[in-house]
Amino acid sequence: MTAFLIILIAALFVIALWQISKIVQLGKTPEASTADGEIANDADNDRQGKYMLYFVIAMYIMMIACFIGYQDFFLPDAASAHGAEYDSLLLLTTVVIMVVQFLTQALLHWFSYKYRGKKGQKALFYADNDRLEFIWTAIPVVVLAGLILWGLFSWNDIMDVDKHEDPLVVELYAYQFGWKVRYSGADNTLGDANVRFIEGSNIIGIDPTDADGKDDMVATELHLPVNRPVVFNFRSQDVLHSAYMPHFRAQMNVVPGMVTKFSFTPTVTSEDYKSTEFMTKKVSKINEIRRQKSKELEAAGDVALDQYEFEYYLLCNKICGASHYNMQMKIVVESEEDYNEWLKTQTTFETTLANAKN
Ligand SMILES: [Cu+2]
């Protein structure tokens, strides 16, 4: 790989030198560059005009092929309350961009082809037209203002963490390279915390003197009851991370030295999400690929791959170091009862400290 890159760099360097020498050549005395072959003739213009047309056709074919070929990689329906509006906004923006670029690119390349250079043909000198300029200014202003306003209202609504009644308060704690989650316990209030308190079993720095922190519970899996609003407080131990929960359309920077917030309501349990038509198809397709790959591996004397099963995940979406790619935590959305059952199995901070002393 390294050898290939070195060869590639050397090749690009030679091409750059060659291009520079051509530019130097062009900059020399005008007589030298007007020699036959340096000035475009009708055949050249005709060819270049057609290239413009071929280029735009190839671009559209590639674009449509990508949309069809990469369909599997689109995110499935959102599993959070605000997700549907977020998706509509994204869809509308994409449709507007697609329609506008389709028309403008088509016109740009078609005119370049249609009015390609011909001997004796002269371009029309057309200074300005107030009405035309008004139209092509007013339309983008109205469309963009609409999109921005809708986006702004959606943003304000999604980002308002105080709008919920009785939300579950949870802390997501990022470090190189993993996540911890802290539940606020019976009082639903997180105790004070600071990385300076990290010591022994106090792995995420909860203030041992703060009474609110005594019933806090630190866990390695994020369990959420379905249909209850959750307010997330994010803290980082070391560098900038980003908490990304794609299925809930949620992402927030996790910044050392400050607490950032985001809230959403999960609306689909993990089990229900797994049994959607989209997900069953996707999972069986992935497992088919794994079966084929396993055959090859076993033939070569290696261990076969595990069966894939879908889970919601919290991922890190900022390149934060060597193992960034593996910085993830499983999310389980379940019924209120299952959630309460699971919560009972977790250890409070008070107990953790007491156990550490014994
Ligand atoms: Cu990270």
Side-chain angles (χ1 to χ4, degrees):
M1 189 64 194
T2 319
F4 171 73
L5 282 175
I6 291 170
I7 293 168
L8 191 70
I9 290 166
L12 287 171
F13 186 71
V14 171
I15 291 171
L17 277 184
W18 176 51
Q19 291 291 341
I20 290 168
S21 79
K22 273 178 79 177
I23 293 166
V24 171
Q25 199 65 38
L26 282 172
K28 280 186 180 163
T29 47
E31 293 81 27
S33 62
T34 50
D36 209 27
E38 292 287 344
I39 288 188
N41 56 32
D42 271 5
D44 294 329
N45 286 330
D46 188 56
R47 196 169 52 238
Q48 296 297 331
K50 282 174 184 159
Y51 283 171
M52 290 295 273
L53 204 57
Y54 300 154
F55 175 78
V56 77
I57 292 168
M59 193 181 78
Y60 285 148
I61 291 174
M62 199 170 79
M63 187 182 81
I64 293 164
C66 285
F67 267 114
I68 296 170
Y70 291 109
Q71 264 184 56
D72 280 1
F73 299 99
F74 291 168
L75 275 174
D77 287 344
S80 60
H82 72 276
E85 184 173 359
Y86 173 98
D87 284 351
S88 317
L89 190 54
L90 185 66
L91 181 69
L92 180 80
T93 313
T94 311
V95 168
V96 170
I97 291 171
M98 282 298 151
V99 170
V100 173
Q101 72 87 19
F102 199 92
L103 290 175
T104 51
Q105 297 287 352
L107 288 176
L108 177 69
H109 290 81
W110 170 252
F111 285 136
S112 302
Y113 164 73
K114 188 166 185 228
Y115 299 108
R116 62 195 184 279
K118 271 191 207 97
K119 211 175 177 78
Q121 183 167 285
K122 216 175 153 197
L124 172 73
F125 179 74
Y126 191 78
D128 64 305
N129 182 321
D130 288 347
R131 182 182 287 177
L132 266 180
E133 285 193 31
F134 175 77
I135 292 171
W136 75 52
T137 310
I139 293 175
V141 166
V142 171
V143 173
L144 282 175
L147 281 178
I148 290 168
L149 279 177
W150 185 16
L152 199 65
F153 282 118
S154 303
W155 170 263
N156 286 339
D157 184 46
I158 291 168
M159 294 309 293
D160 181 9
V161 293
D162 300 321
K163 66 182 172 214
H164 307 291
E165 267 177 54
D166 187 34
L168 176 69
V169 180
V170 163
E171 176 181 79
L172 285 174
Y173 180 83
Y175 57 94
Q176 287 174 315
F177 295 96
W179 298 94
K180 288 278 182 286
V181 50
R182 175 157 64 118
Y183 287 87
S184 44
D187 59 358
N188 206 24
T189 310
L190 290 162
D192 286 341
N194 192 303
V195 285
R196 291 187 179 84
F197 293 120
I198 295 175
E199 194 186 8
S201 57
N202 187 2
I203 48 173
I204 67 167
I206 303 169
D207 182 351
T209 61
D210 185 6
D212 288 340
K214 297 239 186 292
D215 62 348
D216 289 5
M217 287 164 271
V218 178
T220 49
E221 258 183 21
L222 176 57
H223 282 242
L224 300 173
V226 71
N227 292 328
R228 177 161 179 204
V230 189
V231 171
F232 293 96
N233 289 251
F234 302 95
R235 266 194 320 132
S236 166
Q237 177 174 291
D238 33 49
V239 299
L240 197 62
H241 300 274
S242 180
Y244 181 41
M245 296 173 259
H247 301 96
F248 306 100
R249 308 296 190 267
Q251 179 165 347
M252 180 49 68
N253 280 339
V254 187
V255 188
M258 68 184 285
V259 175
T260 48
K261 290 186 182 202
F262 192 89
S263 74
F264 69 77
T265 310
T267 51
V268 188
T269 62
S270 298
E271 285 311 312
D272 286 349
Y273 210 74
K274 279 176 203 174
S275 54
T276 55
E277 199 191 332
F278 177 91
M279 205 43 83
T280 19
K281 266 191 195 155
K282 192 179 168 101
V283 168
S284 64
K285 195 174 169 184
I286 292 171
N287 280 327
E288 184 50 39
I289 296 169
R290 290 198 172 196
R291 253 193 301 283
Q292 299 300 333
K293 187 80 191 158
S294 291
K295 272 186 204 161
E296 289 170 30
L297 285 171
E298 278 168 340
D302 278 326
V303 190
L305 299 167
D306 290 335
Q307 281 271 324
Y308 169 74
E309 205 188 329
F310 172 80
E311 294 292 352
Y312 292 130
Y313 268 99
L314 159 70
L315 306 164
C316 179
N317 210 7
K318 281 267 185 302
I319 300 181
C320 58
S323 294
H324 153 76
Y325 73 94
N326 204 22
M327 191 173 156
Q328 49 182 269
M329 185 163 71
K330 186 175 153 185
I331 305 174
V332 179
V333 179
E334 57 202 352
S335 66
E336 185 89 38
E337 299 85 65
D338 288 349
Y339 165 74
N340 287 330
E341 280 304 309
W342 173 81
L343 204 62
K344 278 182 201 154
T345 65
Q346 301 304 305
T347 322
T348 61
F349 181 55
E350 198 173 23
T351 316
T352 309
L353 285 186
N355 288 346
K357 270 187 200 144
N358 296 336

